[in-house]
Amino acid sequence: MQTMMDYELKAQNCSAAARVSLNIDDRMEYIRMSAVWRNEALRVDLGDRAILLRLCPFTEEQLLIA
C-alpha cells in the first residue's frame, strides 16, 4: 500500500513534467495526472471520511470540453 507521501511525490513529478513538456496534449495529461495523484493522497489522509472524493462534480460533457 502506498503512503500519502508516495502519492504526493507522483503528483509533484507530473507537475514538473507538465512544466517542461512542449506538446500541449502531453502537458494537459500531466496536469490531469497530477490532480489524480493529489486526490489519492488526500483520500489516504482522510481515510474513511473520503467517500465524497469518489464522486465527480463534473458531467461527462464538462470533462470533454476541458
Side-chain angles (χ1 to χ4, degrees):
M1 182 173 175
Q2 294 185 338
T3 66
M4 180 181 161
M5 291 305 295
D6 294 331
Y7 289 125
E8 282 291 332
L9 182 59
K10 287 182 179 188
Q12 289 174 5
N13 288 341
C14 287
S15 294
R19 280 188 221 105
V20 299
S21 179
L22 298 177
N23 184 328
I24 190 71
D25 291 332
D26 290 343
R27 185 177 299 161
M28 294 304 292
E29 182 63 21
Y30 284 128
I31 291 170
R32 186 187 74 77
M33 285 308 300
S34 178
V36 167
W37 291 127
R38 288 195 196 285
N39 187 40
E40 285 299 313
L42 185 59
R43 186 186 58 77
V44 168
D45 188 37
L46 293 176
D48 292 338
R49 297 171 294 167
I51 189 67
L52 292 177
L53 294 177
R54 294 289 181 201
L55 304 175
C56 182
F58 303 107
T59 64
E60 193 69 33
E61 293 83 24
Q62 289 172 321
L63 292 173
L64 292 175
I65 290 172

